[in-house]
Amino acid sequence: MSETRIFLLPDLGEGLTEAELVSWHVAVGDTISVDQPIAEVETAKSTVEVPSPYAGIVAELHGQPGETLDVGKPLISVTPVGASEPAEPVTAPTETELGEPVETHPEAEAYREEEKAGSGNVLIGYGTPGGHGVARRTRAPKTSVSVLEPQETKPTDDDLTLLRTRVPGKLGAVISPLVRRMAREHGVDLGELPGSGEGGLIMRRDVEKAIHAPVAEPAKTKPVETRPAETRPVETAGAPEGVDTRTGLPIAARTPVRGVRKAVAANMARSRSEIPEATVWVDVDATALLELREGLKAGGSQVPGLLAFIARFVTAGLKRYPELNTRIETASDGSQEIVSFDGINLGIAAQTDRGLVVPSVRAAEKLTARELDTEIRRLTDVARQGKATPTELGSGTFTLNNYGVFGVDGSAAIINHPEVAILGVGRIIDKPWVVNGELAVRKVTELTLTFDHRVCDGGTAAGFLRFVADAIENPTTLLADL
């Protein structure tokens, strides 16, 4: 009797708990090999191919293109060629949340059992454990003890990283998918639930406590009689299908918010709700910078793009004003810390067919303008192809946004949480400008800096903005390393 192996959707890393199935590369009945790409999935970070850890014949495909699959759920079933062993239960490493003891409640036992059978698969795109493509299996020991009996385990830091995920919308806490499901099925509002774990992490015990908390008796009031004709369903009943009840207009389409758009929406909403932002801006005469580039072109050398020059000025400015290259962290007791970094990962906002993404140039402060130009072009290209890695998309410390390419002068941009500042560059156009007391036509652009007022005051923000503006107006002072 052949043994069918079920491959679960692997942990995608970076707190991602779901992925949209884009396409299958195999069909039922196909013979596949270890590490052969079997499907393409799209996450909130990028589009990746999923390799199979098993060789054999495809027995079943668990999902249709366009369907959203949860991490740890079946992706594909494979029957090994020539397998004859009886089927045995397959379990993956036990996943837990934190090392603290968890109180036992009968209603939560189902979740614990499911958690013990969760995915232990490797990060997609990086092969299988040990590079051999062999799935690790846990066989029942030759005793009367079942492998599903509770075991005392202490998770590692890597386990905690893989288990944590951010909830879109207003929730700033970090919780596991199983805790979210437990709360949903028991009607617990996670938005109002304080977390007892590290950094405000909402844990299973918090949900269990809410489930078993006594319900307060409502105040006794005289019941209000209502007639069925006065209820909301009667007001909207009979509305034509496909017509919006509020506006009365036909609904042209419904587009699910998912993938990159979902991640961007959640991040922008969180940024607006958590960060007390302020914006400063200045018009800049970029004539000298444009003339410098034209001179370099005339010399026959490879010339960086304007954005690379500005990126070079930004990294120099952040060295002088490091408060803008930080992050705010909030502890479980509500106290906050400003985290500074020894280095700059410069995010470059890039518009793609999948939405706005921000890949980052790592250690940007060590690169020349030419090196920055090469890396910016590479990152923009992989981002537009949907091939940027989670690390490239999630490690920035400051963002540079060139919205001038869209033909606009300025914008009060939203900070890319958890960063604390973003610099926008508008289009460069001819404008009247006073030079040495005389009116002239110059190439002018607008710089806009939006910053988190918790990390610095207006003086620091204005100092940084003026530094970058002066560098654009007098570029040779900072470009000796070209």
Side-chain angles (χ1 to χ4, degrees):
M1 176 177 171
S2 297
E3 174 188 354
T4 298
R5 294 175 173 177
I6 300 177
F7 175 42
L8 308 181
L9 181 64
D11 195 307
L12 308 174
E14 294 293 314
L16 303 175
T17 60
E18 64 182 19
E20 179 183 345
L21 179 60
V22 176
S23 62
W24 287 107
H25 295 337
V26 297
V28 174
D30 288 355
T31 300
I32 61 176
S33 58
V34 172
D35 285 339
Q36 175 180 335
I38 56 175
E40 183 176 46
V41 299
E42 179 181 6
T43 71
K45 297 291 186 179
S46 59
T47 300
V48 292
E49 289 185 331
V50 182
S52 171
Y54 306 133
I57 300 173
V58 178
E60 185 177 358
L61 304 178
H62 301 278
Q64 299 295 327
E67 183 179 349
T68 298
L69 306 177
D70 292 331
V71 169
K73 297 299 182 182
L75 179 64
I76 189 173
S77 297
V78 179
T79 301
V81 178
S84 59
E85 294 183 4
E88 296 183 17
V90 179
T91 63
T94 301
E95 295 182 351
T96 59
E97 290 181 64
L98 290 176
E100 298 92 330
V102 179
E103 296 180 5
T104 301
H105 296 286
E107 292 84 351
E109 289 306 315
Y111 296 97
R112 293 196 176 95
E113 293 304 317
E114 180 179 351
E115 198 168 27
K116 293 186 183 75
S119 170
N121 297 302
V122 297
L123 178 67
I124 56 179
Y126 294 88
T128 49
H132 303 296
V134 180
R136 294 180 295 176
R137 306 185 57 218
T138 304
R139 297 181 180 273
K142 296 181 180 180
T143 66
S144 59
V145 180
S146 168
V147 295
L148 290 180
E149 289 182 354
Q151 303 176 16
E152 293 294 332
T153 59
K154 184 175 182 179
T156 64
D157 291 340
D158 289 340
D159 294 331
L160 298 180
T161 300
L162 294 177
L163 282 169
R164 294 179 179 182
T165 178
R166 297 195 179 277
V167 180
K170 66 177 180 178
L171 300 181
V174 182
I175 56 179
S176 80
L178 290 177
V179 172
R180 294 215 314 271
R181 175 181 167 186
M182 185 178 182
R184 182 174 62 252
E185 294 185 355
H186 287 83
V188 176
D189 183 1
L190 292 173
E192 305 299 330
L193 190 64
S196 63
E198 177 185 358
L201 181 70
I202 297 178
M203 302 180 63
R204 186 195 300 113
R205 61 169 175 262
D206 301 319
V207 178
E208 291 175 350
K209 182 178 179 181
I211 292 172
H212 295 279
V215 180
E217 289 289 337
K220 293 183 178 181
T221 59
K222 183 178 180 180
V224 178
E225 296 183 0
T226 58
R227 292 174 296 178
E230 297 174 345
T231 61
R232 289 290 299 172
V234 173
E235 295 178 11
T236 59
E241 185 176 357
V243 175
D244 179 48
T245 56
R246 190 181 72 84
T247 63
L249 297 174
I251 296 175
R254 292 183 181 272
T255 304
V257 180
R258 58 191 179 192
V260 170
R261 177 58 58 192
K262 179 179 179 181
V264 169
N267 198 47
M268 296 299 99
R270 183 174 186 186
S271 179
R272 282 294 195 197
S273 65
E274 292 186 10
I275 298 177
E277 62 186 34
T279 303
V280 291
W281 61 91
V282 64
D283 287 338
V284 182
D285 181 2
T287 306
L289 179 57
L290 293 175
E291 291 175 346
L292 173 65
R293 290 191 72 248
E294 291 301 319
L296 292 173
K297 286 181 181 179
S301 60
Q302 181 180 355
V303 182
L306 284 173
L307 190 63
F309 284 106
I310 297 175
R312 182 71 185 85
F313 303 149
V314 166
T315 57
L318 290 175
K319 288 182 180 179
R320 181 168 297 189
Y321 299 94
E323 298 93 333
L324 296 170
N325 188 55
T326 59
R327 181 176 68 231
I328 289 279
E329 287 189 356
T330 304
S332 57
D333 61 359
S335 61
Q336 293 183 326
E337 291 182 334
I338 298 176
V339 181
S340 302
F341 304 107
D342 185 13
I344 301 167
N345 290 348
L346 184 63
I348 305 295
Q351 188 67 44
T352 72
D353 293 339
R354 301 172 62 246
L356 180 67
V357 296
V358 188
S360 60
V361 179
R362 299 175 68 84
E365 79 283 359
K366 298 179 181 179
L367 304 182
T368 65
R370 285 198 177 95
E371 292 168 337
L372 284 167
D373 185 67
T374 299
E375 186 64 1
I376 289 172
R377 293 180 188 275
R378 184 192 72 81
L379 287 172
T380 302
D381 184 56
V382 297
R384 287 173 177 163
Q385 294 180 43
K387 301 298 183 182
T389 65
T391 298
E392 289 171 333
L393 292 174
S395 59
T397 59
F398 182 96
T399 295
L400 176 60
N401 185 9
N402 179 23
Y403 44 70
V405 296
F406 301 114
V408 298
D409 299 328
S411 171
I414 299 177
I415 297 171
N416 185 24
H417 187 280
E419 298 170 15
V420 298
I422 179 172
L423 179 69
V425 183
R427 61 177 178 164
I428 299 177
I429 59 175
D430 290 338
K431 280 189 176 183
W433 199 263
V434 177
V435 180
N436 298 325
E438 296 183 0
L439 192 62
V441 176
R442 307 288 284 184
K443 301 292 185 180
V444 178
T445 186
E446 181 180 284
L447 300 181
T448 306
L449 177 69
T450 302
F451 65 99
D452 187 334
H453 225 313
R454 295 175 297 178
V455 302
C456 68
D457 296 324
T460 299
F464 168 81
L465 188 62
R466 191 65 256 173
F467 178 91
V468 177
D470 290 343
I472 292 175
E473 293 181 345
N474 302 281
T476 55
T477 58
L478 282 177
L479 296 176
D481 58 347
L482 265 176

